[in-house]
Amino acid sequence: MPGIYARHIAVAASAAALAATTGLLTAPSAQAAMPTPVSASTARTYLSQLTVAAEGSSSGYSRDKFPHWITQSGACNTREVVLKRDGTGVVQDSSCAATSGSWYSPYDGATWTAASDVDIDHMVPLAEAWRSGASSWTNAQRQSFANDLTRPQLIAVTDNVNQSKSDQDPGDWLPPRTAYRCTYARAWVHVKHHYDLRVDSAEKSALQSVLNAC
């Protein structure tokens, strides 16, 4: 696996040079088609309304408490729905698995032609949500959050970039592609506001900085 991750990092760093050997394509003009987040001005208003508090504990957290990739329709689960939604020319087999297509990752500007190179990122990570208020939710509420196709909470991105993000908030991590940071901050605040999740002071400061530059 380290070799795969190293390949992805190299691709993101030198797209043109590696295009022929990695299958990286020219990035399309359109970005991934997650639901459009609120405007920057609305996001600034929403951010001012969020409760600011020290980040909670991870005690008791488990991804199993956020049941995800549930069945959405027929044989298709949430991951497969997002792969189809965010991709271009996606072909799925009878079990809904993507067999071909291309996926542009707005976090880093890379495009992939294998679904295995793509993760579905939770905009607000599950562990971050847990520490910000979701620990008091029911499993059903957490399941809705983890499979939310209505808010800008799920997006297809390069797998190792998603792994580098892990469960960090914007005070610690922002997309390496700076052109996407405004959209990212708008989406983050949109989701946190909808679910009434808290922000810590460093997270709020980072979001304000990004939104003020939008």
Side-chain angles (χ1 to χ4, degrees):
M1 296 305 286
I4 295 175
Y5 298 162
R7 175 174 64 84
H8 291 182
I9 293 168
V11 167
S14 54
L18 296 177
T21 58
T22 62
L24 186 69
L25 306 177
T26 301
S29 58
Q31 295 180 346
M34 73 173 184
T36 303
V38 295
S39 67
S41 61
T42 299
R44 287 191 289 268
T45 299
Y46 280 5
L47 182 59
S48 71
Q49 296 169 349
L50 295 179
T51 299
V52 180
E55 194 163 87
S57 170
S58 293
S59 177
Y61 168 74
S62 166
R63 288 179 68 85
D64 293 340
K65 293 182 178 179
F66 291 80
H68 55 290
W69 306 167
I70 61 172
T71 299
Q72 292 288 346
S73 176
C76 301
N77 66 26
T78 308
R79 171 182 163 82
E80 291 150 351
V81 169
V82 178
L83 283 173
K84 176 73 171 179
R85 182 197 73 187
D86 288 4
T88 300
V90 178
V91 176
Q92 296 171 310
D93 63 20
S94 60
S95 64
C96 208
T99 57
S100 63
S102 64
W103 292 268
Y104 173 66
S105 167
Y107 285 7
D108 58 336
T111 300
W112 304 98
T113 56
S116 58
D117 287 323
V118 178
D119 277 358
I120 306 305
D121 180 39
H122 288 95
M123 176 64 62
V124 175
L126 305 182
E128 162 67 20
W130 178 272
R131 297 189 296 265
S132 303
S135 60
S136 65
W137 295 353
T138 64
N139 270 22
Q141 289 173 313
R142 289 190 287 262
Q143 175 175 293
S144 294
F145 174 83
N147 297 276
D148 189 351
L149 295 167
T150 304
R151 262 65 54 180
Q153 165 65 348
L154 299 172
I155 185 170
V157 298
T158 302
D159 57 2
N160 76 292
V161 175
N162 181 47
Q163 291 150 16
S164 74
K165 171 183 172 178
S166 185
D167 62 353
Q168 298 177 92
D169 68 39
D172 299 306
W173 189 93
L174 287 166
R177 181 170 164 262
T178 56
Y180 196 70
R181 290 181 178 179
C182 179
T183 302
Y184 186 86
R186 288 161 48 209
W188 183 282
V189 173
H190 185 156
V191 172
K192 280 223 162 175
H193 185 269
H194 178 80
Y195 286 98
D196 196 25
L197 293 169
R198 302 184 298 269
V199 290
D200 63 49
S201 57
E203 174 187 356
K204 181 175 183 178
S205 178
L207 287 164
Q208 285 176 325
S209 294
V210 174
L211 292 172
N212 286 342
C214 288

